[in-house]
Amino acid sequence: RDFNERCAQCSEVNWGITDGGRFYCRSCHNVTERTREVVNADFMTNSRIQTISKGLRKQEKNDGGSEWYVCEGFQLVLKKQVEALEALGVCPQMKDEILCNFWRCYLQKSKQAYCKRPAGEAVKALSACESSTDVDSDPERPSLLHLLSLSESEGDLQTDCSFVSSVSKVSESTSVYSGSVDGSLYLMKNQKEKLRMTMPMTLSFCYMALLWVREPITLSELLRFVVEGHIPYLNVFQHFPEKMKLCGLDLKIFCVESWPAYEEVFNKMHELAAFLDLPRFPDITESCFLHPDMLCMKYLMEANLPDELHNWTCRVVKKIGIGEVDFLTLMPGNKSTRKVKYDVLAAAVIVVVLKLLFLLDDHYEWLLSELAEERNKNNTEGCPYFEFKKWYEVVKHSLDVKQKKLDEERAKYLWRCEKPLFYSVKNKPKVLKRRQMVVNLQNQFGKLSGSVQRAEKPNPSSFQLSWSEENTDGSCFHGHSLKGVLQEKCGLLTAMNPDYWLCTVKLCNEKLCGHLGHYREVEFPQSYHFVLGLFSFLLRVQPSYIHDEVCMIEHKLFNKKLCKKLKYNAVLRK
């Protein structure tokens, strides 16, 4: 009653006292740094006794754990992931200045924090008990969120009143089914309208922050680092504090048993950007790593293709305008612009250039390869001519070795985490006993078989396939010449190949069909399928994704000829 200052958050004068003696606002639950000096010792003693006894009851009910909320669990996951990205070399500002602000905006938009009164019928029903809560039971939620905040230097995370007012009722109704307070409420249908948080969405948050700061990490690289274990994702809940008990419905939220899918993370990132009402992202210019010219250079090196192909990729990018700032820069909520997959787009440009020069029809590229082989026999000086056949054999051998190794690692991967999980408190003793038996048996069989412990995971690298020009076996094709497939015409180098085959004559409706062009391996040449498979392995995406971008580039590149052909066919039909 003696503290009459207005709340800095909501300007109300309605103060209560936390367990630690600090003032908090009853309206918005903002906790201040001011503490109350109590003169009456009897009042202080009685207050502490009530608080201690209440806390012991809650700890016994939750099996020694503290009350925690699902959003706090995702907050910890994001914190672990961004710290792993910082260890990989990402700028430190991404954590506190970018990702933390995105997360706070999401909590506010989804009515989970930073708001005065949340929406929803279930929450309104629970908030009816707000007036009956005592002084000591209200302020426990802010202190826990402050402990787990993304930015350790920031202040308390102000949460909505429904969480605090519904602690007693929700915890009693959900503690049997989940370790978190709102585990069952989080899986209700009405939560889907608010873009409910999921584990793949944590990677969408990370990719959105990476895109905002224009870091040289594509989405395919981000997901590959997750699979390789450099970024926490699978079984990340093992890093939760001991007081955050995880069981029951919490496992459906935080326990994942599949690798993150490119398309899901990509689409959720765009939904998030629109949901948060973010402004136009920083421009993707020619000097940015995500520009097609830069990414094409990287993928040409990784695919062991001649350096001279980069001039052709730049010509294609400039010709069809996919290197323009407005095309590449993300504008959230703008449905008229196409969503750009930077890595897939760059790979598709390389595929189109290979089709322009080598046709990739299972005949012309082998004919050019025989001619280049004959010229290399008589060529003792200068750069060797590029042989498509030799390149195919070298790359296919390395690709098969890498693919086999990847398949073996995925087959041997242990999906079960070291930390035992249980769906109810009653089953906990059985699960712990069974887990201990499994560990003992594994140790005994390991000693008998003399199995070697797992080697430490290698350092992350942007290149999966590496080629060195210092090798004397001729396995590196970076410095090879394209003179055997080019001719000079009007002062410009053009392809000797006058023909070109389109992947599809008419594009499908991407919104209705989901693809611009349908890809079936039996309907396309094996050379084209091999090139798609190579970049599919490098990007860890389906070949159909690259095929769609190839179809889009071809129709931009041959738009005038296609229009003339369609008009001519229409006249013939009449």
Side-chain angles (χ1 to χ4, degrees), residues 363-485:
H363 174 71
Y364 186 73
E365 63 271 20
W366 307 120
L367 178 62
L368 291 177
S369 184
E370 293 176 0
L371 295 175
E373 185 179 2
E374 291 296 328
R375 291 179 178 179
N376 282 332
K377 291 179 181 179
N378 302 324
N379 183 22
T380 57
E381 298 180 358
C383 298
Y385 290 87
F386 177 70
E387 299 179 33
F388 187 89
K389 181 180 179 180
K390 187 177 180 181
W391 170 82
Y392 170 82
E393 294 173 350
V394 171
V395 174
K396 188 176 187 305
H397 174 72
S398 298
L399 187 61
D400 290 343
V401 172
K402 289 285 186 179
Q403 185 67 55
K404 182 180 179 181
K405 182 179 178 182
L406 179 62
D407 294 340
E408 290 177 353
E409 290 177 353
R410 288 187 173 182
K412 295 178 181 178
Y413 187 83
L414 297 176
W415 291 98
R416 291 190 176 183
C417 62
E418 298 177 359
K419 185 178 182 180
L421 304 175
F422 48 93
Y423 285 88
S424 66
V425 179
K426 296 180 180 179
N427 296 334
K428 182 178 179 180
K430 295 181 180 180
V431 173
L432 293 176
K433 184 177 180 180
R434 191 178 303 168
R435 180 62 181 171
Q436 188 61 40
M437 290 175 60
V438 171
V439 172
N440 293 337
L441 288 174
Q442 287 178 345
N443 294 335
Q444 292 175 11
F445 280 111
K447 292 178 181 179
L448 291 174
S449 61
S451 59
V452 183
Q453 293 183 353
R454 290 185 180 181
E456 295 183 1
K457 54 187 177 184
N459 295 327
S461 174
S462 296
F463 292 90
Q464 301 177 71
L465 302 176
S466 58
W467 315 92
S468 176
E469 298 183 9
E470 299 177 356
N471 294 344
T472 57
D473 57 356
S475 60
C476 182
F477 296 87
H478 291 161
H480 286 216
S481 174
L482 296 176
K483 292 181 180 179
V485 297

Side-chain angles (χ1 to χ4, degrees), residues 116-146:
K116 293 183 179 180
R117 182 75 62 178
E121 295 180 358
V123 171
K124 288 179 180 179
L126 290 170
S127 61
C129 63
E130 181 179 8
S131 59
S132 64
T133 57
D134 58 352
V135 173
D136 295 324
S137 62
D138 283 343
E140 295 181 2
R141 163 83 170 152
S143 61
L144 185 55
L145 267 171
H146 173 60

Side-chain angles (χ1 to χ4, degrees), residues 201-255:
M201 275 179 61
T202 60
L203 299 177
S204 300
F205 266 102
C206 292
Y207 179 58
M208 187 166 60
L210 289 170
L211 187 59
W212 185 275
V213 296
R214 296 178 293 183
E215 282 288 336
I217 297 180
T218 60
L219 178 56
S220 58
E221 284 181 321
L222 177 68
L223 300 184
R224 179 165 60 85
F225 290 154
V226 169
V227 174
E228 293 175 354
H230 302 295
I231 298 176
Y233 181 75
L234 299 175
N235 302 327
V236 67
F237 50 81
Q238 294 183 111
H239 303 290
F240 284 10
E242 280 297 323
K243 291 186 177 182
M244 292 179 64
K245 300 297 180 180
L246 193 81
C247 64
L249 294 177
D250 301 327
L251 304 183
K252 291 185 177 181
I253 302 173
F254 294 101
C255 185

Side-chain angles (χ1 to χ4, degrees), residues 13-190:
V13 182
N14 187 14
W15 299 101
I17 303 174
T18 67
D19 294 344
R22 292 194 300 172
F23 288 100
Y24 77 96
C25 180
R26 291 176 179 268
S27 300
C28 67
H29 298 279
N30 176 32
V31 182
T32 67
E33 297 297 329
R34 292 286 300 273
T35 58
R36 181 178 182 181
E37 297 179 1
V38 181
V39 180
N40 192 343
D42 296 335
F43 171 78
M44 187 65 181
T45 304
N46 294 335
S47 177
R48 290 304 294 173
I49 290 174
Q50 291 176 4
T51 304
I52 292 173
S53 61
K54 176 179 64 64
L56 288 174
R57 286 199 301 269
K58 289 193 174 184
Q59 287 185 355
E60 290 174 0
K61 182 180 66 175
N62 289 336
D63 194 22
S66 299
E67 288 180 340
W68 63 281
Y69 294 79
V70 173
C71 65
E72 293 174 323
F74 282 117
Q75 193 162 265
L76 271 177
V77 174
L78 284 172
K79 183 178 179 181
K80 294 294 181 181
Q81 289 176 347
V82 73
E83 287 174 353
L85 287 171
E86 286 183 352
L88 294 177
V90 174
C91 64
Q93 292 78 13
M94 194 187 87
K95 177 183 177 183
D96 294 332
E97 298 180 9
I98 308 299
L99 185 59
C100 187
N101 289 331
F102 286 166
W103 177 242
R104 287 173 174 173
C105 185
Y106 170 78
L107 292 177
Q108 186 178 31
K109 292 280 185 179
S110 58
K111 305 293 185 181
Q112 297 184 60
Y114 298 102
C115 57
K116 293 183 179 180
R117 182 75 62 178
E121 295 180 358
V123 171
K124 288 179 180 179
L126 290 170
S127 61
C129 63
E130 181 179 8
S131 59
S132 64
T133 57
D134 58 352
V135 173
D136 295 324
S137 62
D138 283 343
E140 295 181 2
R141 163 83 170 152
S143 61
L144 185 55
L145 267 171
H146 173 60
L147 176 65
L148 304 177
S149 63
L150 262 177
S151 177
E152 296 175 356
S153 60
E154 295 292 336
D156 294 333
L157 184 59
Q158 298 132 12
T159 60
D160 59 61
C161 58
S162 68
F163 281 117
V164 180
S165 62
S166 60
V167 162
S168 57
K169 284 194 174 183
V170 177
S171 60
E172 290 175 2
S173 60
T174 62
S175 59
V176 179
Y177 308 101
S178 65
S180 61
V181 173
D182 58 338
S184 59
L185 291 177
Y186 200 81
L187 295 175
M188 290 175 62
K189 293 183 179 180
N190 60 351

